[in-house]
C-alpha cells in the first residue's frame, strides 16, 4: 500500500491506519513511526487523519445522533441520485462510510469554528504553537506574507496558507524545516551545518543562499527556484544502498527544479523571468558593434548565469551590431535569432541555438 500518496481523508478511511489510532499495537506503532521517519513531510496529513478518526469515534459515542445522521443520509441520497425514486440502500462499504463520516465531521467542525468566530468577533491570526521536542509550527492565516526569523539568523517569508515546522533552536547536525505551501528562504551561511527543507517528497539542501519552494499540500508538483547561490534538490526516498542526493540535481541562479510526485521525477528548467546577476551599470556596457556572436553569447551567459550551446564553427562568421541593455533575456534571444535567421530552444535549463551559419564577409 503506497500510503505516501494518501491524503488525510484517505488515511482516515484506511482500516490499518484506524487500527493504529484506535488500538495501537507494537507492529502498527513501529510501521507508522518508520513511515514518518522516511517521509517526515507527511506529518501534517497523518495528524489531520488522526484527528478525523478520533473525532468520528467521539461522534459515534454521543447520544441522540442517530436521527440527525439519518436525515443527513437521506439528503445525501437525494443529492447523489435525484432521478431515482428508490432510496439508496444502506448496504455500503466501510470505506465509503468512513469517507462520508469524515466529510460530515469536517462540515460540522467548520460550522462550529465559524460560529465561534462570529460570537467572539475575531478574525483568524497567524498561529505559532509549541510542539513536542522543542519543535515550533507556524501557520500563516493572514492575507499577506509572513516573515519568520529563525534562530540561526535565516529569514523565511511564508506565503498565505503556508505552514512551517522547525526546531526552536535548530539543534542537531542539520538545520531542518518542514514546509507545506509556498515560502521564500534567505539562508544564513554555515558550511558545517547544512539547511534542509522537506516539502511534499522533495528535499532542498543548502549551505547558504536564497531560493523559493512551492509545495501545496495535495499538489502533484513541487517546484524550487534559485535566486542566489546553489542548492541541491532530490527526492526524499531513503535508501541503504545509495545516497538519495546522488540521484538529484544542483540548481544555480535562474534555474528551477520541477518535482513530479507521482512519477518521482525531477526536471531542470529556467525560471519564467530570469533576473540579472550583474548590475545595471555593467549591463549598459553591453553595446556591440560588428561583434562576433561568440562574444555576445558570452556576455549574456555572464549576465544571467545561463549556458548557451551553439556550434562555434557553423556560426564563426556571424557578427552583430546591437545593444542589450533594455530587453529581458528572452527578448534579447528573439532579437538575435531574428537577425541571424536562427532559432533557440530551452533544454535542461540551457539555451540551445540552431543556426545555418552566416556568409563570410570579405
Amino acid at each position: 500500500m503506497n500510503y505516501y500518496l494518501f491524503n488525510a481523508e484517505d488515511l482516515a478511511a484506511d482500516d490499518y491506519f484506524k487500527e493504529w489510532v484506535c488500538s495501537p499495537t507494537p507492529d502498527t506503532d513501529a510501521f507508522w513511526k518508520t513511515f514518518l521517519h522516511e517521509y517526515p513531510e507527511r506529518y501534517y496529513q497523518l495528524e489531520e487523519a488522526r484527528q478525523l478518526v478520533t473525532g468520528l469515534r467521539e461522534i459515534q459515542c454521543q447520544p441522540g445522533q442517530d436521527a440527525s445522521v439519518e436525515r443527513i443520509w437521506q439528503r445525501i441520497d437525494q443529492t447523489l441520485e435525484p432521478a431515482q425514486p428508490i432510496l439508496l440502500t444502506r448496504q455500503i462499504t466501510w470505506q465509503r462510510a468512513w469517507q462520508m463520516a469524515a466529510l460530515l465531521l469536517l462540515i460540522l467542525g467548520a460550522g462550529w469554528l465559524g460560529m465561534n468566530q462570529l460570537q467572539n468577533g475575531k478574525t483568524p491570526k497567524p498561529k505559532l504553537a509549541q510542539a513536542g521536542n522543542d519543535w515550533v509550527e507556524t501557520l500563516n492565516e493572514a492575507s499577506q506574507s509572513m516573515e519568520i526569523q529563525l534562530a540561526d539568523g535565516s529569514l523565511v517569508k511564508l506565503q498565505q496558507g503556508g505552514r512551517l515546522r522547525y526546531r526552536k533552536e535548530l539543534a542537531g547536525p542539520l538545520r531542518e524545516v518542514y514546509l507545506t505551501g509556498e515560502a521564500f528562504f534567505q539562508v544564513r551561511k554555515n558550511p558545517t551545518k547544512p539547511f534542509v527543507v522537506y516539502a511534499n517528497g522533495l528535499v532542498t539542501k543548502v549551505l547558504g543562499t536564497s531560493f523559493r519552494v512551492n509545495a501545496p499540500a495535495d499538489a502533484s508538483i513541487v517546484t524550487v527556484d534559485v535566486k542566489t547561490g546553489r542548492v541541491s534538490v532530490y527526492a526524499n526516498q531513503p535508501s541503504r544502498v545509495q545516497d538519495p542526493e546522488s540521484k538529484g540535481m544542483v540548481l544555480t541562479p535562474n534555474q528551477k527544479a520541477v518535482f513530479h510526485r507521482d512519477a518521482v521525477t525531477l526536471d531542470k528548467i529556467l525560471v519564467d523571468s530570469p533576473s540579472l546577476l550583474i548590475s545595471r551599470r555593467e549591463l549598459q556596457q553591453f553595446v556591440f558593434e560588428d561583434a562576433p556572436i561568440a562574444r555576445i553569447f558570452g556576455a549574456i551567459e555572464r549576465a544571467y548565469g545561463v549556458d548557451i550551446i551553439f556550434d562555434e564553427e557553423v556560426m564563426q562568421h556571424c557578427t552583430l551590431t546591437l545593444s542589450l541593455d533594455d530587453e529581458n533575456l528572452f527578448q534579447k534571444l528573439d532579437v538575435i535569432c531574428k537577425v541571424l535567421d536562427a532559432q533557440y530552444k530551452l533544454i535542461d535549463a540551457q539555451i540551445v541555438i540552431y543556426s545555418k551559419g552566416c556568409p563570410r564577409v570579405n
Side-chain angles (χ1 to χ4, degrees):
M1 187 74 69
N2 192 359
Y3 286 111
Y4 180 79
L5 300 177
F6 279 35
N7 58 29
E9 290 78 11
D10 294 332
L11 287 169
D14 182 77
D15 291 336
Y16 192 64
F17 182 82
K18 288 185 292 184
E19 178 187 346
W20 174 55
V21 176
C22 301
S23 302
T25 65
D27 289 340
T28 58
D29 207 37
F31 175 85
W32 289 106
K33 284 183 178 179
T34 301
F35 177 83
L36 269 180
H37 177 73
E38 294 180 351
Y39 305 106
E41 70 277 8
R42 306 307 290 176
Y43 166 82
Y44 303 117
Q45 284 75 15
L46 258 68
E47 283 301 308
E48 185 179 350
R50 190 205 301 265
Q51 293 173 14
L52 280 173
V53 173
T54 304
L56 287 170
R57 291 184 67 193
E58 293 176 356
I59 285 179
Q60 290 176 339
C61 295
Q62 292 178 6
Q65 294 292 333
D66 291 345
S68 298
V69 172
E70 179 64 23
R71 287 196 298 270
I72 291 173
W73 272 116
Q74 290 176 0
R75 293 180 62 184
I76 291 173
D77 289 346
Q78 294 169 4
T79 302
L80 290 176
E81 298 192 20
Q84 295 185 8
I86 302 176
L87 292 177
L88 291 175
T89 178
R90 295 295 183 269
Q91 299 299 322
I92 59 177
T93 63
W94 274 107
Q95 182 174 3
R96 178 169 178 252
W98 275 93
Q99 289 176 338
M100 299 306 295
L103 178 61
L104 172 61
L105 179 62
L106 289 175
I107 294 172
L108 292 175
W112 180 81
L113 288 174
M115 289 298 295
N116 270 0
Q117 290 173 9
L118 288 175
Q119 291 173 359
N120 296 333
K122 296 179 180 179
T123 56
K125 295 181 179 180
K127 295 180 180 178
L128 183 62
Q130 182 76 24
N133 196 25
D134 292 326
W135 285 87
V136 174
E137 184 174 292
T138 303
L139 171 63
N140 184 8
E141 294 180 329
S143 59
Q144 57 187 8
S145 63
M146 173 185 181
E147 290 193 355
I148 303 171
Q149 188 85 36
L150 301 181
D152 68 334
S154 298
L155 182 66
V156 183
K157 292 184 179 179
L158 188 64
Q159 297 302 310
Q160 180 183 9
R163 188 189 300 264
L164 190 73
R165 184 169 175 258
Y166 54 96
R167 284 192 176 93
K168 187 176 181 180
E169 300 300 331
L170 293 180
L174 300 175
R175 295 175 287 170
E176 296 176 300
V177 302
Y178 301 91
L179 171 70
T180 299
E182 182 179 355
F184 181 76
F185 295 83
Q186 290 179 284
V187 178
R188 183 67 62 88
K189 289 186 177 181
N190 186 346
T192 63
K193 195 170 183 178
F195 191 97
V196 182
V197 181
Y198 299 94
N200 271 1
L202 186 67
V203 182
T204 303
K205 183 178 179 182
V206 302
L207 297 177
T209 184
S210 60
F211 58 97
R212 184 181 305 277
V213 179
N214 190 2
D218 296 319
S220 61
I221 291 178
V222 181
T223 60
V224 177
D225 57 88
V226 179
K227 184 176 181 180
T228 61
R230 294 171 179 264
V231 306
S232 172
V233 295
Y234 53 96
N236 188 18
Q237 291 189 314
S239 171
R240 298 179 182 178
V241 180
Q242 187 177 20
D243 181 2
E245 189 173 0
S246 65
K247 299 176 66 176
M249 60 179 56
V250 174
L251 301 178
T252 56
N254 287 329
Q255 292 183 347
K256 179 177 181 178
V258 181
F259 177 59
H260 302 269
R261 293 174 56 197
D262 296 340
V264 196
T265 58
L266 269 172
D267 296 324
K268 183 190 292 188
I269 61 176
L270 285 180
V271 298
D272 296 335
S273 300
S275 57
L276 281 170
L277 305 181
I278 61 175
S279 67
R280 283 285 176 182
R281 184 175 181 180
E282 289 180 276
L283 186 64
Q284 290 174 358
Q285 301 175 6
F286 284 17
V287 178
F288 302 95
E289 183 174 351
D290 200 24
I293 194 63
R295 179 184 168 194
I296 297 174
F297 284 156
I300 295 176
E301 287 181 322
R302 184 164 63 90
Y304 292 94
V306 299
D307 290 329
I308 300 180
I309 310 300
F310 67 101
D311 191 320
E312 294 189 35
E313 183 177 354
V314 171
M315 302 187 72
Q316 62 178 320
H317 301 305
C318 295
T319 59
L320 285 176
T321 297
L322 77 167
S323 173
L324 298 177
D325 60 337
D326 293 328
E327 303 86 358
N328 62 39
L329 172 62
F330 298 120
Q331 289 174 331
K332 291 178 174 66
L333 293 173
D334 289 338
V335 170
I336 292 173
C337 288
K338 186 174 182 179
V339 173
L340 297 180
D341 192 23
Q343 295 179 328
Y344 74 89
K345 288 184 179 180
L346 303 179
I347 302 176
D348 292 334
Q350 297 177 320
I351 299 169
V352 181
I353 305 294
Y354 298 90
S355 172
K356 298 178 181 179
C358 305
R360 184 172 185 175
V361 179
N362 296 324

